[in-house]
Amino acid sequence: MSLQGKVALVTGAAQGLGKGFAEILLKNGAKVALLDINEAVGKDLKSAFDKEYGPDSTVFLKCDVKSDDQFKEAFEAAIKKFHKIDIVCNNAGIVDEKDWERALATNLGGVIRGTYLALSYMKKQNGGHGGVIINVASMAGILPLLTAPIYTATKHGVLGFSRAISDLSRVCNFGVRINTLCPSFAETAILSSMYSADTVKDIPSLQEMNRKIINTVGILDVSVVAEAFLQLATDESKNGSALMVTKKHTGDIPFPKVSEDLANLSSMLPL
């Protein structure tokens, strides 16, 4: 799928992976709605992108993905600006092992909320033209990270939800591909927070364990993760894929698909 003329919406777009995803979309000809809770950093990024890609290529929209109203308003503003949405990347995430409800609402709730909003605008049954949703999980969604159990739980949830909703989209013929990106540690603000005492709730000795784990796994450059994201966005054969990205390997995680018997039931569904 060519990205020329496509419209993307990216959450957590002001910095880190979200910034990298937005930039690679712009480089390939897409227009991007930049959603982030950090208004100052988001507006600075918008100004930088204006110089490189032109002011009509992006729009910045302040949005807290924990808020139904803000998220819906951001989608509506993006469509008002660009008249459509073809790609949605649910990327916004945090590490907060002390306030687990905040972490859950952001990392998992934001992905669920963003996916259902995207489907409401994109699926064929609602008059949409299809597209692709990419949900950002983590290697911690595949292998548990003992120093961040709450973060691990949220990312396992992202992967499980995305796999289920991708099967639903396929069986119900929504016309929307749904994929999951599972990178290991990348050079972002989230990585920095892994070293914080707040991350390892009341167990300071785990800070050293964090360092050992990160040093063993290695740290990805954001551009490497962005290339993997681009693969999920453009390769139309990838539908229901979960792509793991590490320093040594990038590849699909093999998961069983919904059975053919169940898929054949799609003709019986009231679509």
Side-chain angles (χ1 to χ4, degrees), residues 109-126:
V111 166
I112 293 172
R113 190 171 286 110
T115 299
Y116 280 124
L117 274 169
L119 286 172
S120 72
Y121 288 103
M122 296 164 68
K123 69 181 184 180
K124 293 177 180 179
Q125 287 81 354
N126 288 358

Side-chain angles (χ1 to χ4, degrees), residues 28-262:
N28 283 272
K31 298 180 185 296
V32 185
L34 309 164
L35 276 60
D36 205 285
I37 197 170
N38 192 326
E39 187 170 15
V41 177
K43 286 184 174 180
D44 285 346
L45 180 62
K46 160 69 176 163
S47 296
F49 281 158
D50 286 353
K51 295 173 184 176
E52 183 74 19
Y53 304 103
D56 293 330
S57 292
T58 62
V59 60
F60 173 74
L61 301 165
K62 183 178 180 180
C63 177
D64 183 346
V65 298
K66 300 192 301 296
S67 167
D68 285 322
D69 290 340
Q70 287 187 36
F71 218 161
K72 185 175 181 180
E73 287 168 6
F75 265 84
E76 291 173 348
I79 290 173
K80 183 176 181 181
K81 169 71 175 178
F82 296 124
H83 309 296
K84 64 173 183 172
I85 294 178
D86 303 293
I87 302 161
V88 171
C89 175
N90 290 304
N91 164 72
I94 60 172
V95 175
D96 191 337
E97 293 297 303
K98 287 187 176 291
D99 189 348
W100 65 265
E101 290 177 316
R102 173 174 173 258
L104 185 64
T106 303
N107 296 0
L108 181 55
V111 166
I112 293 172
R113 190 171 286 110
T115 299
Y116 280 124
L117 274 169
L119 286 172
S120 72
Y121 288 103
M122 296 164 68
K123 69 181 184 180
K124 293 177 180 179
Q125 287 81 354
N126 288 358
H129 300 288
V132 59
I133 299 169
I134 300 171
N135 292 332
V136 181
S138 166
M139 192 172 70
I142 307 162
L143 303 171
L145 182 60
L146 77 162
T147 55
I150 300 303
Y151 183 76
T152 295
T154 64
K155 294 304 184 177
H156 270 67
V158 168
L159 182 56
F161 168 77
S162 300
R163 289 177 61 199
I165 201 75
S166 69
D167 279 343
L168 177 66
S169 180
R170 182 167 49 250
V171 167
C172 295
N173 194 30
F174 288 164
V176 180
R177 294 186 293 118
I178 302 171
N179 295 316
T180 316
L181 188 61
C182 300
S184 61
F185 303 109
E187 193 63 65
T188 65
I190 282 185
L191 177 64
S192 299
S193 68
M194 287 286 184
Y195 293 107
S196 167
D198 288 341
T199 305
V200 287
K201 185 177 181 182
D202 301 324
I203 314 175
S205 62
L206 289 183
Q207 284 184 275
E208 182 57 30
M209 187 172 290
N210 258 342
R211 292 183 187 278
K212 289 180 179 178
I213 292 170
I214 292 168
N215 290 340
T216 300
V217 174
I219 300 173
L220 293 164
D221 190 83
V222 168
S223 64
V224 174
V225 185
E227 288 291 342
F229 166 84
L230 184 66
Q231 184 180 344
L232 290 177
T234 59
D235 185 347
E236 295 190 62
S237 71
K238 292 195 176 298
N239 185 14
S241 293
L243 192 64
M244 184 169 67
V245 188
T246 70
K247 289 285 285 185
K248 296 182 179 180
H249 174 76
T250 295
D252 287 309
I253 304 164
F255 288 125
K257 300 296 184 184
V258 65
S259 70
E260 289 300 319
D261 288 344
L262 182 57

